[in-house]
Amino acid sequence: MNMKSENTMTGQEMVALCKKHTLFSWSATNAVNPIPWSKAEGIYFWDTEGKRYTDLSSQLVCTNLGYGNQHVIDAIKKQVDGIAFAGPNMATQIRAEVSELLAKYTPGDLNTFFYTPAGAEANENAIKLAKQYTGRQKIMVRYRSYHGATAGAVTLTGDPRRWPAEPSIPGVIRVFDPYEYRCTFNANGCEGCSMPCVAHIEETIQYEGPNNIAAFIIETVTGTNGVIIPPTGYLKAVRELCTKYGIMMVCDEVMVGLGRTGKWFTVDHWDVVPDMITMAKGLTSAYLPLGCVAMSDKIAAHFSDNVFVGGLTYNAHPMCLAAAKAVLEVLVAEDLIGNSERMGKVMAGLMADLKEKHPSVGDVRSLGLFGAFELVKNRQTKEMLAPFNGTSEPMNKLGAYLKQNGISTMIHWNKLFCCPPLTITEKQLRETFAILDEGLKITDQAVEG
Ligand SMILES: Cc1ncc(COP(=O)(O)O)c(C=O)c1O
């Protein structure tokens, strides 16, 4: 993650050997065309030919501090010279320090943490905690969601990445999402709406038996399924439903926690305190892998006297915790959450301008530096520019144009993501959006009607 390349291979050699000996996530090896990296700094990385890319998606929305942050690098180096590893049932100073610090930033009484290797395992352990705490078996989730690729987490996932893993773990119930642009319940949008999306959740709870449901797990703002921001009042209403029926409200903030949306945690936008928050990615800004379940005092108290039946060899790994502590320090010292909020406003303006200008932009959504364009063939019918669970020539061409012009970002079906590192400046945002402006001319050509 620092400036200097240690490559002794050419880019071609790297790609050939990586493709020969490794599988790539969610891909057929012959279809991948990975960029061979040479170095990275700030919001940029370079390929082995010296071409620079702006990282508009912070890789998988995880490199929140950008590349080469010296404070984090130094903290990791210091930790490896000290206690590089201690077993999960040992006490270490770094475990004590980072947990005390994190508790200052997590909302309400979420003061106790169970650390995991990454996001999926955080959700796996949230399920375990909820089931053991409530004595109930079922878990409620939403269709437009992603919660990780391990057996349980991929079952919680509503999107098609779940399909090949099915039937997978039993007892998962699904409800529809509060997706204003394509609402299942009200085509007129959220303004003045009585939120039938919430009534539908309560009806589902009745049919499934309230006393059977251990947890309702939601992405506070849905990520890969399209930056779906719930309407004002939704999260509070879900909180009330969960309280009414004794269901643990678990907010998956693996993507949106730790400043991504301009607050420490995204639930803070609506002043809601869930029973648990899961996090990963931004927790270490991807300098090392780490996930975490934050739980309320009452859940933690339960496990003071009852055994938590769950464990991981790398629970509370000191190296990863050292990275997390340094990241928390940098977020504060450099006011990056404030920057996410301020630059988020600039980015929202730039996105709105492009929506105005380009007929292929059906909708733009963002909160802080978490944004996505939703591209359509026709603004009236809202026909997607790539189908559900598919790709299309215009979306592929847009991706190729951006790559050619030095922009790296996530494209998922008909969505283009704008989630740069939280360190981005206004100048950098404007430079990036000038390229997006040109790129969207390609998708405009596919507009019909
Ligand atoms: C919302 C959400 N939850 C969970 C995960 C899984 O995290 P990991 O890939 O670290 O296991 C992801 C990953 O993208 C995610 O976006």
Side-chain angles (χ1 to χ4, degrees):
M1 296 279 249
N2 60 23
M3 279 285 285
K4 286 184 215 103
S5 163
E6 288 168 7
N7 292 340
T8 53
M9 291 182 190
T10 65
Q12 269 182 342
E13 286 167 342
M14 282 161 62
V15 170
L17 278 172
C18 288
K19 288 181 72 160
K20 183 173 176 200
H21 291 295
T22 67
L23 290 187
F24 288 78
S25 295
W26 313 111
S27 304
T29 311
N30 284 341
V32 298
N33 184 18
I35 298 172
W37 283 39
S38 65
K39 62 176 185 176
E41 176 72 9
I43 68 162
Y44 305 110
F45 63 89
W46 284 259
D47 70 14
T48 45
E49 303 294 308
K51 178 172 172 173
R52 191 186 82 175
Y53 293 84
T54 300
D55 193 347
L56 184 56
S57 63
S58 306
Q59 295 304 294
L60 302 181
V61 197
C62 57
T63 57
N64 287 4
L65 302 192
Y67 304 99
N69 186 287
Q70 204 53 48
H71 184 66
V72 182
I73 292 167
D74 290 344
I76 294 170
K77 285 182 175 166
K78 193 168 161 218
Q79 191 69 39
V80 80
D81 285 339
I83 295 170
F85 180 69
N89 287 339
M90 304 294 152
T92 59
Q93 183 165 324
I94 190 65
R95 181 172 175 160
E97 282 175 351
V98 74
S99 306
E100 187 182 38
L101 190 58
L102 189 55
K104 287 188 184 154
Y105 305 124
T106 42
D109 66 343
L110 305 191
N111 294 316
T112 302
F113 308 103
F114 182 76
Y115 296 104
T116 65
E121 295 92 337
N123 287 325
E124 296 285 352
N125 282 283
I127 301 175
K128 285 187 182 161
L129 287 160
K131 286 184 176 179
Q132 290 174 33
Y133 176 76
T134 61
R136 302 173 180 183
Q137 285 305 312
K138 294 190 191 181
I139 307 286
M140 195 161 65
V141 294
R142 297 189 307 207
Y143 274 102
R144 294 183 190 269
S145 66
Y146 180 70
H147 294 290
T150 51
V154 86
T155 317
L156 304 180
T157 293
D159 83 23
R161 283 172 278 188
R162 156 177 56 94
W163 297 347
E166 287 184 317
S168 207
I169 68 164
V172 175
I173 311 153
R174 290 187 185 82
V175 293
F176 291 115
D177 303 74
Y179 187 6
E180 181 170 24
Y181 186 61
R182 298 181 189 278
C183 184
T184 314
F185 304 97
N186 179 0
N188 298 322
C190 294
E191 218 178 297
C193 179
S194 61
M195 290 200 292
C197 51
V198 174
H200 148 78
I201 296 168
E202 185 159 24
E203 194 176 342
T204 308
I205 292 172
Q206 299 301 336
Y207 297 150
E208 295 292 341
N211 292 335
N212 299 324
I213 305 171
F216 184 26
I217 303 189
I218 58 171
E219 289 178 75
T220 314
V221 167
T222 299
T224 39
N225 279 270
V227 181
I228 301 171
I229 303 166
T232 312
Y234 176 87
L235 226 60
K236 267 215 157 76
V238 166
R239 173 66 278 181
E240 281 163 17
L241 274 186
C242 287
T243 303
K244 183 173 168 187
Y245 294 109
I247 296 168
M248 296 295 101
M249 179 180 182
V250 181
C251 287
D252 177 342
E253 299 221 2
V254 167
M255 219 175 230
V256 295
L258 285 304
R260 170 53 58 190
T261 65
K263 302 261 187 207
W264 273 101
F265 289 90
T266 296
V267 289
D268 298 340
H269 285 280
W270 298 281
D271 291 325
V272 165
V273 182
D275 298 291
M276 289 180 239
I277 290 180
T278 55
M279 64 191 93
K281 295 186 186 261
L283 181 57
T284 52
S285 192
Y287 281 78
L288 284 172
L290 182 69
C292 171
V293 189
M295 70 199 83
S296 68
D297 289 344
K298 69 176 192 279
I299 298 176
H302 173 86
F303 290 103
S304 296
D305 296 320
N306 296 280
V307 172
F308 169 53
V309 188
L312 297 155
T313 300
Y314 298 133
N315 158 247
H317 195 297
M319 297 293 299
C320 307
L321 295 180
K325 178 165 174 268
V327 165
L328 295 175
E329 288 163 353
V330 173
L331 286 173
V332 174
E334 298 184 16
D335 186 25
L336 292 183
I337 296 176
N339 198 55
S340 174
E341 195 213 342
R342 288 186 295 277
M343 288 305 109
K345 286 191 178 133
V346 174
M347 190 173 86
L350 292 168
M351 291 177 81
D353 290 347
L354 293 190
K355 181 181 173 192
E356 185 113 323
K357 204 166 160 188
H358 294 280
S360 59
V361 178
D363 196 22
V364 288
R365 300 183 284 273
S366 67
L367 194 59
L369 286 170
F370 194 54
F373 288 90
E374 175 149 0
L375 302 178
V376 292
K377 268 192 195 162
N378 181 314
R379 278 190 179 173
Q380 263 67 51
T381 64
K382 300 184 183 174
E383 186 184 346
M384 292 160 73
L385 197 53
F388 182 82
N389 199 29
T391 55
S392 68
E393 200 185 318
M395 293 304 296
N396 290 340
K397 276 189 178 164
L398 172 62
Y401 176 88
L402 296 179
K403 190 172 175 187
Q404 197 183 357
N405 286 277
I407 305 281
S408 163
T409 195
M410 284 183 349
I411 291 183
H412 187 246
W413 310 345
N414 68 329
K415 323 273 184 336
L416 173 93
F417 288 82
C418 299
C419 312
L422 308 186
T423 52
I424 197 164
T425 63
E426 181 163 347
K427 183 168 173 281
Q428 290 170 327
L429 262 179
R430 290 189 183 281
E431 284 166 4
T432 307
F433 270 69
I435 298 169
L436 290 185
D437 188 11
E438 286 304 307
L440 289 169
K441 289 179 183 164
I442 296 170
T443 47
D444 287 346
Q445 284 167 19
V447 169
E448 293 170 2

